[in-house]
Amino acid sequence: MTLAIFDLDDTLIDGNSPSLWSEHLAQLGWVDRDSFIPREQELVALYAERRATLEEYLAHTLQPLVGRTPEEVAYIAAPFVEDVIEPLIHSDAMRCVSAHRSRGERILIISATPTFLVEAIAERLGIADVLGSDLALAHGHYSGAIDGLACAREGKLRKLEQWLQANGESSIGAHFYSDSINDLPLLEAVAHAHAVNPDALLRAEATTRGWEILEWR
């Protein structure tokens, strides 16, 4: 079955869900806004510039979850998605998803965002298949570490390859939609690369390579 693969943040939605989640945690009092949010924003900028790793970003942003159960976190994730994320879903993105689905293609969201958050958003989008950064548990509670590969840059491609093997799927003829130069390894690996609301570096790369550039804002 042909795959249509979508990045999440700034691609399917008009925003960065981990940053919005961090702001939500500040509103709930799970973090100190004055110390937590500025560092989170600094790491977002450094990651976009390829000057920080996803592991460095998550080392900071996962701290509020340490010692909490997945059920406790899911309890606040559901209303967060409904209230904050749903209004940010690009209508053009959903039309694109629907077009791929009407052709009988399998839809997959792949994101550096923690898997629990990707799954909650994907449920709202009506998409069953997701890959994200899995979080480690210790005695049933989040430990603040990643379980396995970080789903970013080359790791995103490796996680996709593992998923293809586990699901008996192939990347032949696949489409991939992304906004970020950090996804260049996966964009290079698919038959049909689409730059969506691309950052400056990806826009230049897409122009040079003749990839489709889409504006969904």
Side-chain angles (χ1 to χ4, degrees):
M1 184 181 294
T2 302
L3 289 176
I5 309 166
F6 292 84
D7 178 47
L8 175 61
D9 301 304
D10 294 309
T11 302
L12 290 174
I13 66 171
D14 187 16
N16 181 48
S17 60
S19 293
L20 295 166
W21 173 251
S22 292
E23 179 63 33
H24 185 64
L25 295 183
Q27 292 174 3
L28 294 176
W30 284 29
V31 299
D32 177 72
R33 181 189 304 277
D34 292 341
S35 60
F36 189 85
I37 299 299
R39 178 57 177 162
E40 188 273 338
Q41 288 296 294
E42 179 186 20
L43 287 165
V44 167
L46 290 171
Y47 179 76
E49 297 168 0
R50 301 181 66 86
R51 295 167 54 203
T53 65
L54 180 64
E55 289 86 349
E56 289 172 308
Y57 177 80
L58 292 177
H60 175 68
T61 56
L62 293 180
Q63 288 308 302
L65 306 188
V66 174
R68 301 184 188 271
T69 66
E71 293 77 15
E72 183 180 3
V73 174
Y75 181 77
I76 67 165
F80 162 75
V81 171
E82 181 176 358
D83 296 339
V84 178
I85 298 298
E86 192 164 350
L88 301 178
I89 298 169
H90 288 299
S91 56
D92 285 338
M94 296 316 299
R95 282 191 284 270
C96 183
V97 168
S98 295
H100 282 289
R101 187 175 281 135
S102 70
R103 295 196 290 269
E105 298 170 2
R106 189 169 182 177
I107 312 300
L108 172 67
I109 297 177
I110 184 165
S111 174
T113 298
T115 303
F116 80 87
L117 200 51
V118 184
E119 290 175 337
I121 297 170
E123 184 177 359
R124 280 283 169 179
L125 298 173
I127 297 171
D129 292 309
V130 307
L131 285 171
S133 294
D134 298 328
L135 304 188
L137 295 173
H139 307 293
H141 298 75
Y142 286 124
S143 68
I146 302 172
D147 183 11
L149 287 170
C151 194
R153 299 174 181 160
E154 291 78 9
K156 186 174 283 191
L157 177 57
R158 290 174 61 194
K159 289 202 74 164
L160 174 62
E161 291 168 345
Q162 292 173 354
W163 182 89
L164 292 171
Q165 184 174 11
N167 286 270
E169 293 285 4
S170 167
S171 62
I172 295 173
H175 295 256
F176 179 44
Y177 297 81
S178 176
D179 70 293
S180 175
I181 192 64
N182 282 297
D183 284 337
L184 187 60
L186 183 47
L187 286 163
E188 291 177 325
V190 298
H192 306 285
H194 310 267
V196 179
N197 309 321
D199 59 36
L201 291 174
L202 180 56
R203 184 177 295 275
E205 195 74 31
T207 300
T208 299
R209 294 172 180 258
W211 292 341
E212 182 180 34
I213 297 176
L214 298 167
E215 303 293 345
W216 284 352
R217 290 197 175 95

